[in-house]
């Protein structure tokens, strides 16, 4: 079943082929996933039509190697790096291109990039002899996989700066104006429009003796976070809770006439997060999802063309 599907797929292909038993879930992510598409020997998956795994294994889809490559606009030259287990390493890192630092676990990737390159660019102390920069670097932006928040109040809409624009739209609705509602009325962090039983969290924490705390849905708002009066205000037949329960792809359609909102949603969509809900609690996001949300938030900003982005552990 080997087909020329590009070097990037070779290792994944070998692992799947070597499996004694293969379980394939899909067909998409989020609410579009959750189906068992196949379970059996890998050779028998080839004819499954709704499976991306089968599409690539069979050669129906391929990832082509890019024919044209960008040329570096400059170089960072690090000399004599001895951080952790690095043995007097000299490294030249190109600017103006997409650069990957690879190696097996423990080989020194983080030591080189996170513990040496970043401090060196910031003119902080690190274990190296010299650094020379042939080119221009205006800004250094780190994007790691740490959570975007640790409570149910943090979510993708608030992190990328969408929720403020959405609240302004709801406050501009005729019914909201007639009632004197301001944008803060549609925030679950502010008294007035939120459910006060759960204080806008949608859930209530129950402390358990000798066991981890547990959370239950708020009995008054049913997890909707807002008071009944607030939920009566509609934008295109959606109340504020409905919007927070909408996924990114659908929200991009709803807010298509509003360029500022749509641009942020399109960025999230373009990096594969069209399935997540705008109000999905941050603590339920995976590390990869959190990192992509951070990336979308950064790309929505106006940065210098001479910025350097460092993504820590994107493979996980």
């Amino acid at each position: 079943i080997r087909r020329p599907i590009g070097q990037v797929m070779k290792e994944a292909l070998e692992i799947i082929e070597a499996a004694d038993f293969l379980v394939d879930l899909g067909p998409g992510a989020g609410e579009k996933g959750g189906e068992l598409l196949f379970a059996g020997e890998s050779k028998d998956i080839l004819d499954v039509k709704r499976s991306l795994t089968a599409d690539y294994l069979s050669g129906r889809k391929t990832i082509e190697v890019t024919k044209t490559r960008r040329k570096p606009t400059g170089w960072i030259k690090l000399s004599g790096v001895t951080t952790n287990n690095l043995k007097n390493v000299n490294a030249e890192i190109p600017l103006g291109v997409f650069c990957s630092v690879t190696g097996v676990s423990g080989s020194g990737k983080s030591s080189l990039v996170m513990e040496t390159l970043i401090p060196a660019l910031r003119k902080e102390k690190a274990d190296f002899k010299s650094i020379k920069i042939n080119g221009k670097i205006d800004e250094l932006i780190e994007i790691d996989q740490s959570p975007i928040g640790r409570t149910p109040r943090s979510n993708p809409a608030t992190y990328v700066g969408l929720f403020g624009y959405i609240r302004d739209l709801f406050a501009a609705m005729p019914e909201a104006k007639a009632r004197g509602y301001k944008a803060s009325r549609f925030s679950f962090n502010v008294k007035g429009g939120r459910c006060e039983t759960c204080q806008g969290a949608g859930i209530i924490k129950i402390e358990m003796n000798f066991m981890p705390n547990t959370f239950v849905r708020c009995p008054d708002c049913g997890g909707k976070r807002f008071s009944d009066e607030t939920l009566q205000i509609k934008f295109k037949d959606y109340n504020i809770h409905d919007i927070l329960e909408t996924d990114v792809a659908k929200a991009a359609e709803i807010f298509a006439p509003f360029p500022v909102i749509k641009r942020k949603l399109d960025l999230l969509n373009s990096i594969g997060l069209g399935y997540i809900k705008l109000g999905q609690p941050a603590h339920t996001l995976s590390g990869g999802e959190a990192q992509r949300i951070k990336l979308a938030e950064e790309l929505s900003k106006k940065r210098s063309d001479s910025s350097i982005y460092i993504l820590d552990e994107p493979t996980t």
Side-chain angles (χ1 to χ4, degrees):
I1 63 174
R2 291 187 182 277
R3 301 289 178 90
I5 62 175
Q7 186 64 30
V8 72
M9 295 295 293
K10 184 179 178 181
E11 289 187 13
L13 179 64
E14 290 173 348
I15 291 169
I16 294 171
E17 287 180 332
D20 295 315
F21 196 83
L22 183 64
V23 177
D24 190 43
L25 296 170
E31 291 185 349
K32 296 179 181 177
E35 293 183 43
L36 179 63
L37 300 179
F38 175 80
E41 294 184 21
S42 59
K43 62 182 178 62
D44 297 326
I45 194 178
L46 300 182
D47 294 328
V48 178
K49 299 302 181 185
R50 299 172 65 209
S51 166
L52 275 174
T53 306
D55 287 342
Y56 285 102
L57 286 174
S58 65
R60 292 192 293 269
K61 289 186 177 182
T62 62
I63 295 177
E64 301 295 340
V65 177
T66 306
K67 294 179 180 179
T68 57
R69 302 292 175 125
R70 296 186 183 94
K71 294 183 178 180
T73 58
W75 294 85
I76 301 171
K77 297 184 179 181
L78 270 173
S79 300
V81 181
T82 57
T83 307
N84 297 327
N85 67 333
L86 294 178
K87 299 172 177 63
N88 202 34
V89 168
N90 299 324
E92 295 186 4
I93 300 169
L95 297 173
V97 297
F98 189 84
C99 175
S100 176
V101 179
T102 69
V104 298
S105 179
S107 60
K109 303 183 296 298
S110 294
S111 296
L112 177 65
V113 178
M114 308 307 294
E115 297 181 42
T116 309
L117 176 61
I118 291 177
L121 291 174
R122 290 177 172 166
K123 298 181 179 179
E124 299 171 352
K125 186 178 179 180
D127 295 328
F128 67 98
K129 289 181 180 177
S130 67
I131 181 171
K132 294 181 180 179
I133 302 174
N134 176 20
K136 186 180 180 183
I137 299 176
D138 290 332
E139 294 182 90
L140 168 65
I141 301 106
E142 292 179 66
I143 305 175
D144 60 20
Q145 292 202 12
S146 61
I148 62 172
R150 298 185 182 278
T151 72
R153 297 183 185 278
S154 301
N155 58 53
T158 56
Y159 189 85
V160 301
L162 274 174
F163 202 32
Y165 293 110
I166 293 172
R167 293 200 310 268
D168 288 341
L169 281 178
F170 273 88
M173 294 295 99
E175 182 67 18
K177 286 184 174 181
R179 298 186 185 189
Y181 291 170
K182 304 297 182 184
S184 60
R185 177 87 191 190
F186 302 95
S187 169
F188 46 70
N189 290 321
V190 180
K191 287 183 178 181
R194 70 184 184 183
C195 169
E196 287 305 322
T197 302
C198 61
Q199 295 186 330
I203 56 177
I204 294 176
K205 181 173 73 172
I206 298 177
E207 295 186 1
M208 308 285 286
N209 291 329
F210 311 112
M211 293 177 64
N213 294 332
T214 187
F215 294 87
V216 296
R217 183 176 295 178
C218 175
D220 284 355
C221 68
K224 293 184 177 181
R225 298 185 167 201
F226 297 92
S227 66
D228 290 340
E229 292 77 15
T230 303
L231 295 175
Q232 289 170 4
I233 307 301
K234 300 287 185 71
F235 170 78
K236 291 187 176 180
D237 294 328
Y238 297 93
N239 62 37
I240 190 68
H241 168 71
D242 295 334
I243 292 297
L244 289 174
E245 286 294 302
T246 302
D247 63 42
V248 167
K250 179 64 177 178
E253 298 176 11
I254 297 171
F255 295 108
F258 305 94
V260 176
I261 299 177
K262 189 173 186 299
R263 181 170 179 270
K264 290 177 178 287
L265 291 169
D266 286 343
L267 275 170
L268 288 168
N269 219 353
S270 67
I271 56 177
L273 292 179
Y275 64 91
I276 65 170
K277 294 179 180 179
L278 296 187
Q280 184 171 336
H283 67 280
T284 67
L285 298 168
S286 70
E289 288 170 336
Q291 188 177 44
R292 281 182 282 165
I293 290 170
K294 291 180 182 181
L295 182 60
E297 195 268 339
E298 282 294 341
L299 293 176
S300 69
K301 298 177 181 177
K302 291 183 178 180
R303 295 284 192 184
S304 164
D305 288 341
S306 299
S307 299
I308 179 169
Y309 292 84
I310 295 180
L311 280 71
D312 182 26
E313 297 288 359
T315 52
T316 59

